Amino acid sequence: GQNIDQPTEMTATEGAIVQINCTYQTSGFNGLFWYQQHAGEAPTFLSYNVLDGLEEKGRFSSFLSRSKGYSYLLLKELQMKDSASYLCAVSDSNYQLIWGAGTKLIIKP
Amino acid sequence: DTEVTQTPKHLVMGMTNKKSLKCEQHMGHRAMYWYKQKAKKPPELMFVYSYEKLSINESVPSRFSPECPNSSLLNLHLHALQPEDSALYLCASSQDWGSGANVLTFGAGSRLTVL
């Protein structure tokens, strides 16, 4: 079967750094996405990785290791507005998105 | 215009009602999607339209009926729903369907309550 695992909930302090991990087992791989979803709102696109390595975009970075079936999202200089759920999703061999259950990130002052 | 617009934002309906959810995008995207999302769960794919043709139906009950009148519009017709169908219904679009880097742009969603 296809499976994506990410922690259910994480807590971090404003101004700090947090790393949200995602491991996956899918039928084929055509890229991995990270989306941010604030409570009651729609998901918004953060990053896409298809090759191994680190992609940096401002305070957010995303890393991929295809051989390990592993990705992480790194958030620096955390702000209160970063409190949200972070969804990891993999595009499989049929280009269908397989979604993780999401990681709820709580930022404390 | 980089938005996907969904109406209505909230909908309450009885089990015998017929209603529709509407979605519009003007980004020139050729693929449009309906997702259903329950609280604290990831989005579940329902339907995919590519070039105005239904490409994927994820075994959705017939009480949900999608329609794509043109490349910018996507509707979801609802009839004889059950209380367990209460959820956030998300419309999304992407440049096309069937490539790896398909970034989805989501609408704000229609929150449906079935009484």
Side-chain angles (χ1 to χ4, degrees):
Chain A
Q2 310 208 83
N3 193 51
I4 296 187
D5 286 317
Q6 45 181 137
T8 305
E9 187 173 297
M10 299 181 71
T11 302
T13 305
E14 191 176 16
I17 298 173
V18 72
Q19 178 175 309
I20 302 174
N21 295 326
C22 170
T23 57
Y24 62 89
Q25 289 178 304
T26 56
S27 303
F29 180 83
N30 280 303
L32 185 145
F33 297 82
W34 285 96
Y35 283 83
Q36 180 191 59
Q37 186 173 27
H38 286 99
E41 297 183 11
T44 55
F45 169 74
L46 290 177
S47 68
Y48 171 71
N49 293 69
V50 66
L51 299 176
D52 291 351
L54 187 68
E55 295 275 345
E56 296 187 72
K57 200 185 286 187
R59 293 189 298 115
F60 293 8
S61 303
S62 55
F63 171 83
L64 175 67
S65 169
R66 288 172 297 170
S67 62
K68 294 182 179 176
Y70 169 69
S71 172
Y72 67 73
L73 181 69
L74 191 72
L75 291 76
K76 302 177 186 175
E77 301 169 17
L78 286 170
Q79 301 175 10
M80 298 303 292
K81 67 178 182 180
D82 298 329
S83 293
S85 287
Y86 292 85
L87 297 158
C88 173
V90 171
S91 178
D92 71 7
S93 57
N94 294 318
Y95 301 104
Q96 296 231 42
L97 275 185
I98 312 302
W99 294 84
T103 298
K104 182 178 179 181
L105 178 62
I106 299 167
I107 309 296
K108 295 188 173 178
Chain B
D1 188 349
T2 57
E3 287 188 343
V4 175
T5 304
Q6 286 188 245
T7 55
K9 289 194 182 335
H10 299 276
L11 179 63
V12 179
M13 60 187 289
M15 289 190 284
T16 57
N17 292 158
K18 282 186 182 181
K19 297 285 185 183
S20 297
L21 306 180
K22 297 184 183 302
C23 175
E24 189 168 1
Q25 58 90 12
H26 294 288
M27 294 178 281
H29 286 176
R30 308 310 299 191
M32 295 187 76
Y33 310 71
W34 280 114
Y35 278 88
K36 171 183 177 181
Q37 188 176 28
K38 293 272 203 178
K40 300 182 181 180
K41 298 286 187 183
E44 296 174 40
L45 182 64
M46 300 175 73
F47 303 104
V48 180
Y49 274 83
S50 177
Y51 289 86
E52 302 163 46
K53 291 197 175 354
L54 184 63
S55 295
I56 291 186
N57 175 343
E58 291 284 3
S59 303
V60 178
S62 60
R63 57 186 185 268
F64 295 92
S65 174
E67 178 197 18
C68 189
N70 61 53
S71 60
S72 300
L73 294 174
L74 186 66
N75 299 322
L76 186 63
H77 303 298
L78 315 171
H79 174 54
L81 295 192
Q82 305 295 312
E84 59 265 29
D85 296 322
S86 298
L88 181 67
Y89 287 83
L90 293 163
C91 175
S93 69
S94 66
Q95 195 71 36
D96 56 28
W97 164 252
S99 67
N102 260 341
V103 175
L104 296 178
T105 301
F106 284 90
S110 293
R111 185 160 299 282
L112 173 67
T113 303
V114 182
L115 301 176

